[in-house]
Amino acid sequence: MAITRFGRQVKRSYQSYGFSIKLTATVILGLCFVFVWSVFSKFSVTSQRESFDDIAEPVSSASGRGSDFQIHFEKEDPKKGQESDESRKLKFKPGLDDKDKKKINGSLPFKPREGQKKEKKEGNGKSVGGNSKLLEGDKEKNQENKRESESEEVIREKGEEEVDSKLGEDVDGEDNANEEVERDIDLINSEDLDQEAVDDDNKVLRSTKKRKKLGPLFDPKSQYTWKLCNTRSKHNYIPCIDFASASGRLQGYRHHERSCPRSPVICLVPLPHDGYGAPVHWPESKVKILHKNVAHPKLAAFVKSQDWVVESREYLTFPQNQSVFKGGIQHYLESIEEMVPDIEWGKNIRIVLDIGCKDSSFGASLLEKGVLTLTLGLKDDLVDLAQLALERGFPAVVSPFSTRRLPFPSGVFDAIHCSECSMAWHSNGAKLILEMNRILRPEGYFILSTKYNSIEAEEALSTLTVSICWNILADKADEVSDIGIKIYQKPESNDLYELRRKKVPPLCKENENPDAAWYVPLKTCLHAIPEAIEQRGTEWPEVWPKRLNTFPDWMNNRERLTADSEHWKAVVNRSYLTGLDVDWSTIRNVMDMKAINGGFAAALSEQQVWVMNVVPIHAPDTLPIIFERGLIGIYHDWCESFGTYPRSYDLLHADHLFSRLKNRCKQPVVIVIEMDRILRPGGWAIIRDKAEILDPLEGILRSLHWEIRMTFRQDKEGILCAQKSVWRP
């Protein structure tokens, strides 16, 4: 009975307080679960965080050494308990101490906390325990790696601002110059070892794999055997522009656009059929050159049909009173000045692009007025007139121009000239004239002269120039020269663009880079004209020669630019002109293969030379600075062939070019082969770089039968001066 009454009371109590009991029990169980979870999860998370930094350095059982720094992302393996070489590993820098060598299984033990008696088992069944000193040592390595990668990332994000000021090492061993070199080389090394930023894990994996393969630029044990190129264009071969095939079934010599061979060119371009003679030196080369040096199958027939070039025994001569312009080139230039008095040759007009190469009289006459004219030799299968210009000592490059941008930044040419260049400006969506608008400086001049033109073409060109807001300053037919001259001017601001009723062509998007030019297709839009004072192009440069050493507000670190100019001036005057045994009376065409701010070219401005400043596409974009100073230059990728004829330059200057190209070109030796192609026999090369690069490079040059004139080493840096011979295999 008592049990029955007790049961009834419990039942009544449960019915009265059942909900409260349930809620209380739930809360108590929840608190217990949270307490238990916090205890065990705290231990687990702590162990995981420590294990991220404490993974042992994998050591191969064969060598006992750690591998290069690589991250391999974990993948499921059907064979559990076995580690593959491509997964579940975190590799660090080589160099293990004795304690590290004991860890061969890829797991790093850590010291358990006080009071913890059982060892934590890893997911692969391996226990964790061990020495805290090894842990701290590896943590320090990881922190150091992080600091290095962060510093390299800062360098990359800032556009390699510190690399911009690389001054090289003076041959005289000046302390300040040496310090600059060491600082700059450290930055270059860190960038070369670090790969470009990537967005996904797969790209990170590929970049770290590349870092593992990073070794010497040139294999010191390699033996080189050379052969001659067998191409259709023979001794005038220009890779990436000419067809590599020697088959006679091809109708022409050249591609319509730049197209490099699939395999790197590792052959040597032969000399002309009748041999190569010592070129005529400047300034005599303005009026005569050796015919056999520029031999071309159709050149002889072309010469007979012209009066501005005459064959005289072994020479080609250029009478000063003859020109493609009837009435003479001087009359032609004076007519332009009369039409537009604001055009002052050699003062406000310093840098001119001449589209299409004729007799070079335009650039030759402007040179006497202090104007530097760069001739753009277009695709021409007939006589290669751009080669004649280079042989005479005038700046010229060869580049197809149909579907891609020219390799120049935006807004850098003071004037663009086109005489009888047969360009269909109004066709293909007006892309060609829009490209002229891109590279022309705001308020710059476009000078177009033609003898005959159809009415339809005239109307189309007139409509086109109005649509892009070019102001026509002159449209006159010269009676003496019997040609029509039109002079247009690019607007100075965007106001006219906004006033157009039809926004055709439209303005380019703000995120489109107007300076992107390497393998970039032509656009059908107008880039906005810079208007802010801190932007490049808002002000016209100073008159020449004050322009050379005047740095406007948009240039950052003007003190650095001034120091760079002073440095190269000292190097050139103290070392290059007097200390390298170079006969500068034989030097006219010079190339700076890795120009930065144009300091080397500026230092040679008082010499009778012109310098082609090449800015590699992977380097900071300093080419606008070079043009702003009144110098000429071009973008280029040295893993490919340069757009010029063989035997074009008298001197090549390479300041730490090879160390910057490390791990970029598939076969870096192609750079040396390209140097051999574009340098004239008897020409010079001045190479400044690391000693570890110069040593094997010297062996390659000797295999090409170059004469090593001078080598200099100081610490880890050095300079090499070599002279090319006439040897061919």
Side-chain angles (χ1 to χ4, degrees), residues 459-474:
E459 293 178 351
L461 181 61
S462 176
T463 303
L464 177 58
T465 53
V466 170
S467 67
I468 61 177
C469 303
W470 279 11
N471 181 25
I472 183 166
L473 303 179

Side-chain angles (χ1 to χ4, degrees), residues 232-281:
R232 183 178 176 86
S233 49
K234 300 179 181 178
H235 58 275
N236 290 329
Y237 179 48
I238 308 176
C240 302
I241 295 179
D242 293 348
F243 290 117
S245 174
S247 173
R249 291 175 296 177
L250 298 174
Q251 297 298 321
Y253 282 95
R254 296 182 176 163
H255 298 283
H256 292 285
E257 276 295 353
R258 184 178 178 87
S259 179
C260 296
R262 295 182 179 180
S263 301
V265 178
I266 56 174
C267 58
L268 303 182
V269 176
L271 296 176
H273 179 71
D274 296 329
Y276 185 86
V280 180
H281 300 155

Side-chain angles (χ1 to χ4, degrees), residues 406-424:
L406 296 175
F408 307 112
S410 63
V412 292
F413 288 101
D414 304 331
I416 299 176
H417 174 256
C418 178
S419 175
E420 295 291 334
C421 53
S422 303
M423 304 295 293

Side-chain angles (χ1 to χ4, degrees), residues 498-518:
E498 301 297 333
L499 294 176
R500 295 179 301 167
R501 287 185 296 177
K502 293 183 178 180
K503 302 297 189 294
V504 179
L507 290 178
C508 299
K509 298 179 181 179
E510 294 183 358
N511 60 353
E512 292 188 15
N513 182 11
D515 296 331
W518 189 250

Side-chain angles (χ1 to χ4, degrees), residues 635-654:
Y635 294 122
H636 184 61
D637 181 1
W638 281 115
C639 298
E640 299 182 2
S641 179
F642 189 78
T644 191
Y645 291 90
R647 306 169 300 278
S648 295
Y649 287 88
D650 301 304
L651 187 143
L652 302 178
H653 181 254

Side-chain angles (χ1 to χ4, degrees), residues 279-281 283-291 313-318 391-392:
V280 180
H281 300 155
E284 189 179 2
S285 61
K286 289 192 294 183
V287 295
K288 73 174 185 178
I289 60 175
L290 276 176
H291 189 179
R313 293 183 298 180
E314 70 269 27
Y315 297 102
L316 292 178
T317 60
F318 306 89
E391 190 71 16
R392 296 177 65 185

